[in-house]
């Protein structure tokens, strides 16, 4: 009977991570007043067309803390209220360029409201109210930024897809051995998947353009080096790398990582992670090796000149 008290305090003081999702719709315009229309267009493409365009943003707030006596890190209605008053009510149905002073481009310290710069400023707004661990902001389901409170460092993820066939087997093993190891995936004529690839880059947000790197340059690299060569292929036969490397999800993710690491470095960011989903049931993630000296050598001035 003396155990009843401890039963009701179970978990108190233990650490836990909680998440809260919130959505808002807003518009923005990528146009720097110090640049000509042609330069803005070259730098930002259709995002520079006035009066702007909009997105349905989705914000994921990740918090960490110790459980209280009621088994909660925080009262969720307090969390909801803080996010609503500090972020959603100020941004929802607004033109982002005209909302917060951080986006006032008439001032030299003003910054474009890109996904990565917006998530950083949202962190500034929320950090005194909530025990933040990380923030994720989706501009759309295939583009999102992560921020972990580390100065101008942020992560940007682009999601793309390709369809391809493969066969899992080692050429140096007999068929019955391959079937023992790889099961049905070793059948001689292969099978296919609709692969989904998340490419995450890490870098410093440029204080003026608000960008980690030129997004259209990043999209071109992904298209030229991954989607175009892999889409609608039989990987084992059409991609020379997989002639003698079994194209498992793990190996495909590693190969994509190796192909993208240096080109992404050349546009001023660092490849951070590749996630390859083969089906809803399995995925592989690899973290790219980032040479530390290269991380530090790119300052924001390098990046803006690369952007131009
Ligand atoms: Zn946009
Ligand atoms: Zn397969």
């Amino acid at each position: 009977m003396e155990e009843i008290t401890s039963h009701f305090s179970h978990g108190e003081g233990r650490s836990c991570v909680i998440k809260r999702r919130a959505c808002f719709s807003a518009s923005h315009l990528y146009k720097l007043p110090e640049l000509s229309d042609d330069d803005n267009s070259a730098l930002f493409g259709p995002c520079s067309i006035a009066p702007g365009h909009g997105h349905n943003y989705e914000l994921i707030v990740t918090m960490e803390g110790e459980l209280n006596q009621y088994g909660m890190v925080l009262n969720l209605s307090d969390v909801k209220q803080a996010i609503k008053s500090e972020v959603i009510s100020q941004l929802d149905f607004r033109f982002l360029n005209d909302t917060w002073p951080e986006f006032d481009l008439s001032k030299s310290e003003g910054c474009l409201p890109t996904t990565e710069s917006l998530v950083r400023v949202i962190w500034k707004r929320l950090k005194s109210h909530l025990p933040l661990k990380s923030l994720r902001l989706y501009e759309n389901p295939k583009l999102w930024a992560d921020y972990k409170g580390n100065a101008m460092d942020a992560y940007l993820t682009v999601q793309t897809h390709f369809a391809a066939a493969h066969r899992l087997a080692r050429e140096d093993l007999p068929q019955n051995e391959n079937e023992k190891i790889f099961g049905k995936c070793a059948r001689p004529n292969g099978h296919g998947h609709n692969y989904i690839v998340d490419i995450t880059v890490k870098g410093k947000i440029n204080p003026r353009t608000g960008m980690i790197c030129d997004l259209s340059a990043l999209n071109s690299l992904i298209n030229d080096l991954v989607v175009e060569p892999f889409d609608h292929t039989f990987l084992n036969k059409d991609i020379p790398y997989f002639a003698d490397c079994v194209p498992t999800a793990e190996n495909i993710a590693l190969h994509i990582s190796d192909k993208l690491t240096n080109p992404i470095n050349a546009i001023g960011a660092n490849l951070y992670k590749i996630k390859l989903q083969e089906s809803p049931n399995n995925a592989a993630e690899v973290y790219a090796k980032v040479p530390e000296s290269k991380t530090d050598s790119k300052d924001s001035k390098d990046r803006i000149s690369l952007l131009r």
Side-chain angles (χ1 to χ4, degrees):
M1 290 300 281
E2 69 276 6
E3 291 302 313
I4 286 174
T5 314
S6 65
H7 170 77
F8 282 110
S9 64
H10 184 76
E12 186 175 355
R14 292 180 66 182
S15 185
C16 188
V17 171
I18 58 170
K19 289 177 188 260
R20 176 81 197 176
R21 170 180 173 270
C23 297
F24 60 95
S25 300
S27 63
H28 60 183
L29 174 66
Y30 292 176
K31 196 167 194 174
L32 294 173
E34 66 271 28
L35 300 181
S36 69
D37 284 356
D38 284 349
D39 283 349
N40 272 306
S41 175
L43 202 48
F44 307 120
C47 297
S48 69
I49 299 172
H53 63 279
H55 301 283
N56 292 319
Y57 290 94
E58 183 180 334
L59 175 69
I60 308 292
V61 180
T62 301
M63 296 151 283
E64 185 168 28
E66 293 176 355
L67 299 200
N68 62 21
Q69 59 187 316
Y70 307 111
M72 297 187 285
V73 172
L74 290 162
N75 191 311
L76 264 189
S77 67
D78 295 340
V79 174
K80 187 178 169 184
Q81 185 51 38
I83 295 170
K84 189 177 178 190
S85 65
E86 298 304 313
V87 180
I88 306 300
S89 68
Q90 299 183 34
L91 301 182
D92 202 19
F93 286 80
R94 302 302 208 289
F95 178 47
L96 294 172
N97 302 51
D98 287 348
T99 53
W100 291 337
E102 287 88 344
F103 305 133
D104 181 357
L105 297 168
S106 68
K107 300 213 169 67
S108 63
E109 65 272 25
C111 183
L112 287 176
T114 61
T115 316
E116 54 269 44
S117 84
L118 181 54
V119 75
R120 187 182 79 87
V121 181
I122 290 173
W123 177 287
K124 280 173 62 183
R125 293 294 191 282
L126 287 177
K127 70 176 179 185
S128 59
H129 300 272
L130 298 171
L132 300 180
K133 183 176 170 69
S134 62
L135 292 180
R136 172 169 291 184
L137 182 66
Y138 289 88
E139 184 177 282
N140 63 58
K142 294 181 177 177
L143 180 70
W144 63 91
D146 290 280
Y147 185 72
K148 299 175 184 175
N150 191 9
M152 297 301 269
D153 289 343
Y155 304 79
L156 189 70
T157 302
V158 175
Q159 183 176 91
T160 188
H161 70 275
F162 62 89
H166 69 170
R167 173 177 177 246
L168 303 186
R170 275 180 46 168
E171 295 298 336
D172 57 332
L173 297 177
Q175 181 63 14
N176 64 342
E177 273 298 308
N178 275 319
E179 285 187 13
K180 260 188 229 161
I181 299 162
F182 298 107
K184 281 197 251 184
C185 300
R187 285 180 178 174
N189 295 316
H191 64 278
H193 297 284
N194 290 314
Y195 289 95
I196 298 171
V197 198
D198 296 353
I199 299 102
T200 303
V201 301
K202 181 183 179 185
K204 294 204 183 304
I205 300 167
N206 180 287
R208 188 63 172 164
T209 66
M211 293 174 180
I212 290 176
C213 66
D214 180 351
L215 184 57
S216 64
L218 178 62
N219 282 328
S220 297
L221 287 176
I222 293 165
N223 194 54
D224 296 349
L225 298 173
V226 180
V227 178
E228 212 31 55
F230 289 9
D231 195 26
H232 288 68
T233 62
F234 192 138
L235 294 169
N236 308 55
K237 296 183 180 184
D238 296 322
I239 305 297
Y241 182 83
F242 295 118
D244 54 8
C245 174
V246 185
T248 57
E250 296 89 325
N251 274 332
I252 300 168
L254 278 168
H255 185 48
I256 292 172
S257 174
D258 291 345
K259 285 187 83 169
L260 288 175
T261 295
N262 289 335
I264 286 176
N265 205 257
I267 61 166
N270 290 300
L271 179 64
Y272 179 68
K273 187 172 91 171
I274 296 292
K275 178 181 177 184
L276 183 85
Q277 282 178 260
E278 204 169 58
S279 76
N281 301 327
N282 71 301
E285 292 185 22
V286 296
Y287 290 84
K289 290 192 181 111
V290 177
E292 280 305 316
S293 55
K294 285 193 173 176
T295 317
D296 299 337
S297 69
K298 298 278 177 197
D299 67 18
S300 52
K301 279 199 177 116
D302 285 342
R303 211 160 285 112
I304 199 166
S305 63
L306 282 161
L307 277 166
R308 299 185 75 174

